[in-house]
Amino acid sequence: MVINLTLNHQNACTTTVMDTNFHLNIVLVEPEIPPNTGSIARLCGATNSVLHLIHPLGFSTDDKQLKRAGLDYWQHVDIHHWQSLEDFLAAQKEINLFFFTTKVDRPYTSAHYKAGDFLIFGKETRGLPEETLQLY
């Protein structure tokens, strides 16, 4: 458990309690841009989230831009590699999957996320496959 104490502009103290056991799963489907993936890996390390990378990747995981974007956070990131989106989806429960796309009317802010959920993002240039979105 992490407890954050914050002083606002009126010197009033607020307390926020965070459960460090709560984590989300961030899924990048065939990411193409190394600095984007590195930044998301850094976010995962800071939030105790698990990063899932769906292959093929548009870069090598040895890419210096990828490592530079992740800075010194890589040792704090739990990363899982999947050979395909189909392999990943077959291993998950549908109730825990949230697909992020511009092709729907429901905003991401209306969803109710819980520990263990999977937030799935498509390629930077093309998004998620249409046939996948139709299935879910």
Side-chain angles (χ1 to χ4, degrees), residues 89 94 99 129-136:
L89 292 173
E94 288 184 24
F99 296 87
E130 189 64 38
E131 58 274 9
T132 301
L133 294 175
Q134 290 175 2
L135 289 174
Y136 295 92

Side-chain angles (χ1 to χ4, degrees), residues 24-38:
L24 292 169
N25 292 278
I26 307 301
V27 183
L28 302 181
V29 178
E30 300 178 16
E32 302 167 305
I33 303 173
N36 289 358
T37 301

Side-chain angles (χ1 to χ4, degrees), residues 26 28 31 33-46 49-53 57 59-81:
I26 307 301
L28 302 181
I33 303 173
N36 289 358
T37 301
S39 295
I40 292 168
R42 184 173 59 236
L43 176 67
C44 287
S49 297
V50 178
L51 178 60
H52 297 263
L53 297 175
L57 307 179
F59 51 84
S60 164
T61 54
D62 295 333
D63 191 298
K64 70 178 182 177
Q65 288 182 326
L66 178 70
K67 290 188 191 293
R68 182 174 35 221
L71 301 172
D72 56 352
Y73 293 88
W74 287 106
Q75 70 272 18
H76 301 291
V77 182
D78 183 5
I79 302 177
H80 298 258
H81 291 266

Side-chain angles (χ1 to χ4, degrees), residues 105-117:
D105 295 327
R106 181 178 176 198
Y108 70 91
T109 54
S110 69
H112 299 283
Y113 306 105
K114 59 190 177 309
D117 283 347

